[in-house]
């Protein structure tokens, strides 16, 4: 019995470590920048001298609050440098070993900047603004609790403004660490979280992790300088960042962005100034000219895709080995589902459990069956395949939520009330185009429309014109789109192509862009399109062009059906249904 327990423990540890290593690899590919904000910088040589003198004194330098101290002066490196914790320090002195922390970040493959506010400078606003400017562009932000003697006011202000900035960026991913010599208490950590809440970022404490809190895009933590040395800090932070990559898809997306970051400079050289004249010429002689700009955007996106492909990100983070690690790690949270099927005239229950999922992962499915093993093939009709999602998600409700989120990601290029980042400034407005989804009416009498007018007919408009829309119905099933409404509710929509309801509405173009543009609604958060007759439509999003074109094609093919024009015998024979001589 004892051997079985020990064996299970080892397996659990190995499973956990394999999954952690997978996430760490993704995080290392992604993380590129960090900033350390501290008002007590020290170089190792200063530490060594202070150790000989029996006291530590911060660097005497003319720092401007932005990290402008001349820390790049070449000094002779000591052969042996004591840790700060080994040196006699005053009660209120909590120095930062600049060189040690810089070297450790470089070893981790992360570029580290320093913002070093000067206690002699009284302009707190400039200190906050400079710290904030550096923090905004960094993946990891390390900040001291006291940025001026015995006061956390500057740190709390930076945290609040940084949170507000991240909210404006639709939830920028970031790790924030308060790295202090003060004894960390529940009150300090509560103040940290309150500052972020004031900026619009709410977090939940992480079970099993003291002084850690997170949400979907932000992780905040507090570390003590005496407990985590400067040399240990970067590795501690990199491992902590894995809590923001705790999933197969998050790890893939981080690694993919890391691949783009790695190849970004090569990508830029592909689009050099020699192309200027040909781009401008093509735009001048093309009608509509906007298509050439869209082509350039697509070419740049293709280069991003090429970078991801060259780094084999999908192979490493989305293929069978990665999914096996995910299944092993999440084995206890999976649920067992089952369904009935007929075998030799009798009802048989088919179970989907961990071993079944692993077998199907390795062997696949066909039109009617799942292949669990060489001699284990089970009936698997299409209408039962939702059971796989239920087993993986852990419940029917979680499965529905996950599938709806995935369907929105696949279908929508932009969402009004989803997680899409809509604009970087107040001037951005959506344009009416193929696949635009609009709504009129309230919750009880709401009507939904998808624009089917070809995109080429929406440019260079001189006067109002008719636009064609397919009307959809909000219903639980069947449905073929999921969209989020202004209240954040996911609505299932069915656009019927066999018996379509088609409407036309007249919209006037914007004079400057010669396109139909939306305007900001009264709440300043949503957008509306106004028909010439005065009807206001709420903009819900824009379906990806390929998907919208597929909807148009499906509708057209249904309309283009022609009656009998061939031998019925040949039509059925073409499907391979006849077995001659049997």
């Amino acid at each position: 019995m004892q051997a079985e327990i020990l064996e299970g423990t080892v397996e659990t540890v190995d499973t956990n470590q394999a999954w952690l290593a997978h996430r760490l690899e993704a995080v290392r590919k992604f993380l590129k920048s960090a900033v350390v904000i501290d008002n007590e910088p020290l170089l190792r040589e200063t530490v060594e001298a202070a150790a000989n003198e029996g006291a530590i004194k911060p660097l005497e330098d003319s720092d401007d609050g932005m990290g402008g101290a001349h820390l790049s002066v070449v000094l002779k490196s000591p052969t042996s440098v004591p840790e700060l914790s080994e040196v006699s320090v005053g009660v209120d002195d909590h120095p930062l070993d600049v060189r040690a922390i810089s070297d450790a970040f470089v070893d981790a493959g992360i570029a580290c900047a320093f913002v070093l506010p000067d206690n002699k400078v009284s302009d707190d606003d400039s200190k906050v603004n400079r710290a904030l400017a550096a923090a905004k562009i960094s993946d990891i932000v390390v900040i001291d609790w006291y940025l001026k003697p015995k006061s956390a006011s500057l740190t709390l202000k930076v945290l609040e403004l940084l949170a507000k900035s991240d909210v404006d960026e639709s939830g920028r991913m970031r790790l924030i660490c308060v790295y202090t010599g003060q004894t960390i208490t529940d009150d300090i950590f509560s103040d940290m979280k309150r500052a972020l809440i004031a900026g619009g970022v709410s977090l939940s404490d992480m079970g099993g992790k003291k002084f850690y809190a997170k949400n979907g895009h932000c992780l905040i933590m507090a570390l003590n300088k005496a407990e985590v040395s400067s040399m240990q800090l970067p590795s501690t932070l990199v491992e902590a960042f894995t809590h923001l990559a705790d999933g197969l898809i998050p790890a893939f997306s981080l690694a993919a962005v890391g691949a783009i970051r790695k190849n970004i400079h090569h990508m830029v050289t592909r689009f050099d100034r020699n192309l200027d004249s040909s781009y401008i010429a093509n735009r001048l002689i093309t009608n509509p000219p906007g298509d050439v700009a869209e082509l350039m955007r697509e070419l740049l996106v293709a280069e991003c895709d090429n970078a991801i492909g060259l780094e084999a990100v999908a192979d490493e983070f989305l293929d069978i080995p990665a999914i096996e690690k995910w299944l092993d790690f999440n084995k206890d949270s999976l649920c067992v589902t089952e369904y009935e099927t007929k075998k030799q005239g009798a009802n048989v229950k088919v179970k989907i459990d961990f071993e079944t999922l692993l077998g199907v992962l390795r062997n696949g499915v066909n039109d009617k069956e799942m292949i669990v093993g060489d001699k284990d093939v089970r009936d698997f009709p299409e209408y039962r395949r939702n059971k796989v999602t239920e087993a993986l998600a852990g419940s029917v409700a979680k499965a529905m939520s996950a599938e709806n989120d995935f369907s929105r990601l696949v279908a929508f290029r932009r969402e009004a009330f989803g997680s899409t980042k809509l604009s970087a400034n107040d001037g951005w407005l959506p344009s009416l185009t193929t696949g635009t989804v609009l709504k009129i009416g309230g919750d009880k009498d709401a009507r939904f429309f998808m624009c089917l007018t070809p995109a080429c007919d929406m440019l260079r408009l001189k006067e109002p014109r008719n636009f064609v829309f397919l009307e959809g119905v909000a219903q639980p099933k069947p449905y073929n789109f999921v969209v989020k409404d202004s209240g954040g509710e996911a609505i299932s929509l069915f656009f019927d192509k066999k018996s379509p309801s088609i409407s036309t509405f007249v919209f006037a173009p914007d004079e400057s862009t010669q396109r139909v543009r939306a305007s900001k609604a009264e709440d300043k958060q949503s957008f509306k399109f106004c028909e010439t007759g005065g009807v206001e439509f709420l903009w819900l999003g824009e379906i990806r062009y390929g998907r919208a074109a597929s909807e148009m094609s499906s509708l057209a093919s249904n309309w283009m059906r022609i009656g009998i024009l061939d031998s019925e015998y040949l039509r059925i024979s073409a499907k391979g249904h006849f077995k001659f001589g049997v």
Side-chain angles (χ1 to χ4, degrees):
M1 176 66 73
Q2 185 176 5
E4 291 177 0
I5 294 174
L6 289 174
E7 185 177 346
T9 303
V10 171
E11 180 183 351
T12 302
V13 171
D14 290 345
T15 297
N16 292 345
Q17 289 301 317
W19 181 238
L20 175 60
H22 177 77
R23 291 149 56 204
L24 271 173
E25 184 62 24
V27 166
R28 290 191 182 103
K29 289 179 183 293
F30 172 79
L31 290 176
K32 301 297 180 188
S33 61
V35 62
V36 178
I37 307 166
D38 201 302
N39 66 324
E40 293 184 317
L42 283 165
L43 287 177
R44 293 182 184 179
E45 290 76 3
T46 312
V47 175
E48 186 180 43
N52 295 332
E53 296 173 8
I56 286 184
K57 297 179 180 179
L59 284 176
E60 297 291 339
D61 209 322
S62 56
D63 179 50
D64 60 2
M66 179 58 182
H70 303 294
L71 301 179
S72 59
V73 178
V74 177
L75 299 173
K76 181 180 178 182
S77 298
T79 55
S80 177
V81 180
E83 285 287 343
L84 294 180
S85 57
E86 300 173 5
V87 182
S88 176
V89 189
V91 174
D92 295 323
D93 292 333
H94 305 113
L96 179 82
D97 188 342
V98 172
R99 179 162 292 166
I101 203 168
S102 176
D103 289 348
F105 269 113
V106 170
D107 290 341
I110 300 172
C112 181
F114 291 88
V115 177
L116 310 172
D118 191 345
N119 291 335
K120 298 176 183 177
V121 176
S122 59
D123 187 354
D124 288 350
D125 287 342
S126 66
K127 292 180 182 181
V128 169
N129 291 336
R130 289 163 178 164
L132 184 64
K136 283 182 179 180
I137 58 175
S138 301
D139 302 323
I140 295 175
V141 177
V142 180
I143 187 169
D144 195 6
W145 183 236
Y146 288 167
L147 288 181
K148 62 181 184 179
K150 299 181 180 180
S151 175
S153 59
L154 296 187
T155 296
L156 293 173
K157 191 63 177 177
V158 171
L159 293 181
E160 178 182 343
L161 294 177
L162 185 59
K164 185 178 185 303
S165 172
D166 289 351
V167 169
D168 291 341
E169 291 287 324
S170 299
R172 188 195 192 283
M173 180 172 282
R174 194 189 309 279
L175 185 153
I176 303 170
C177 174
V178 169
Y179 186 52
T180 178
Q182 305 295 323
T183 299
I184 303 170
T185 63
D186 291 333
D187 288 340
I188 287 178
F189 197 60
S190 295
D191 288 343
M192 292 163 54
K193 290 185 291 184
R194 271 194 292 270
L196 293 178
I197 291 173
V201 174
S202 298
L203 307 104
S204 300
D205 289 341
M206 293 175 57
K209 287 285 186 179
K210 187 68 171 175
F211 304 129
Y212 279 58
K214 69 181 285 286
N215 61 17
H217 61 85
C218 178
L219 169 65
I220 187 168
M221 55 194 292
L223 298 175
N224 183 272
K225 292 179 179 179
E227 296 175 358
V228 179
S229 71
S230 299
M231 295 298 292
Q232 296 171 328
L233 180 63
S235 61
T236 302
L237 296 178
V238 170
E239 183 169 333
F241 207 97
T242 61
H243 293 295
L244 294 175
D246 193 11
L248 189 77
I249 302 303
F252 160 72
S253 61
L254 286 179
V257 172
I260 295 172
R261 285 178 165 185
K262 178 182 177 181
N263 291 277
I264 195 72
H265 296 93
H266 167 71
M267 289 163 52
V268 171
T269 61
R270 291 266 288 165
F271 295 82
D272 62 33
R273 60 181 303 214
N274 291 331
L275 299 174
D276 288 359
S277 58
S278 57
Y279 165 72
I280 295 172
N282 275 271
R283 192 183 189 284
L284 291 176
I285 64 177
T286 300
N287 185 22
D291 286 359
V292 185
E294 182 66 28
L295 173 63
M296 291 303 299
R297 288 195 291 269
E298 290 176 0
L299 292 175
L300 184 58
V301 171
E303 286 298 317
C304 295
D305 180 66
N306 189 39
I308 295 171
L310 289 173
E311 297 294 325
V313 174
D315 294 342
E316 184 176 357
F317 290 91
L318 291 178
D319 218 333
I320 291 177
I323 298 175
E324 285 181 343
K325 292 173 185 175
W326 187 94
L327 287 172
D328 284 338
F329 182 76
N330 292 282
K331 182 188 296 187
D332 293 339
S333 62
L334 303 176
C335 74
V336 178
T337 61
E338 58 182 24
Y339 59 89
E340 284 191 353
T341 185
K342 286 189 176 295
K343 188 172 184 179
Q344 297 178 347
N347 289 335
V348 177
K349 285 189 176 180
V350 177
K351 181 182 294 186
I352 299 179
D353 55 11
F354 172 77
E355 297 299 334
T356 304
L357 294 169
L358 207 57
V360 173
L361 172 66
R362 293 166 179 168
N363 299 289
V365 299
N366 56 35
D367 290 344
K368 298 181 179 180
E369 300 164 320
M370 65 168 74
I371 307 168
V372 181
D374 291 340
K375 297 182 179 181
D376 189 354
V377 179
R378 309 175 192 175
D379 287 342
F380 194 31
E382 280 191 351
Y383 66 92
R384 294 299 190 186
R385 298 193 177 189
N386 61 307
K387 294 296 182 180
V388 170
T389 308
E390 293 174 14
L392 291 168
S395 70
V396 174
K398 290 180 180 178
M400 286 290 294
S401 176
E403 289 292 358
N404 285 344
D405 287 345
F406 188 70
S407 69
R408 286 173 34 237
L409 177 65
V410 170
F412 279 89
R413 181 185 181 191
R414 297 187 182 98
E415 293 182 280
F417 306 107
S419 57
T420 307
K421 179 182 177 182
L422 291 178
S423 65
N425 56 64
D426 293 333
W428 184 86
L429 296 171
S431 297
L432 186 61
T433 188
T434 309
T436 294
V437 179
L438 304 177
K439 170 191 172 185
I440 57 174
D443 293 338
K444 293 183 179 179
D445 59 346
R447 298 174 67 191
F448 299 88
F449 300 90
M450 180 199 305
C451 183
L452 296 183
T453 299
C456 57
D457 292 341
M458 298 183 173
L459 305 173
R460 287 191 171 179
L461 302 180
K462 305 293 186 182
E463 56 188 19
R465 62 154 293 169
N466 281 303
F467 290 87
V468 180
F469 289 84
L470 175 64
E471 185 167 357
V473 179
Q475 59 185 37
K477 63 180 182 179
Y479 62 93
N480 44 26
F481 280 95
V482 177
V483 63
K484 276 204 171 182
D485 205 348
S486 55
E489 178 189 3
I491 300 175
S492 303
L493 298 179
F494 180 63
F495 290 93
D496 191 349
K497 274 85 69 178
K498 291 184 178 180
S499 300
S501 176
I502 303 294
S503 301
T504 59
F505 300 100
V506 180
F507 292 93
D510 174 70
E511 291 185 5
S512 60
T513 62
Q514 297 183 339
R515 304 183 69 174
V516 177
R517 303 289 298 277
S519 60
K520 281 281 184 74
E522 289 72 18
D523 60 10
K524 303 299 182 183
Q525 302 297 319
S526 56
F527 300 94
K528 63 182 180 181
F529 284 90
C530 296
E531 196 220 10
T532 54
V535 179
E536 292 187 350
F537 294 78
L538 178 67
W539 180 72
L540 295 181
E542 180 184 317
I543 295 169
R544 299 183 191 277
Y545 183 78
R547 178 64 185 275
S550 176
E551 295 295 310
M552 294 169 62
S553 175
S554 176
L555 186 63
S557 64
N558 184 63
W559 282 343
M560 293 296 292
R561 285 181 299 169
I562 301 175
I564 296 174
L565 52 83
D566 203 349
S567 161
E568 182 69 3
Y569 181 92
L570 288 178
R571 187 187 71 82
I572 299 174
S573 178
K575 294 184 176 182
H577 290 175
F578 291 144
K579 295 182 180 179
F580 296 98
V582 178

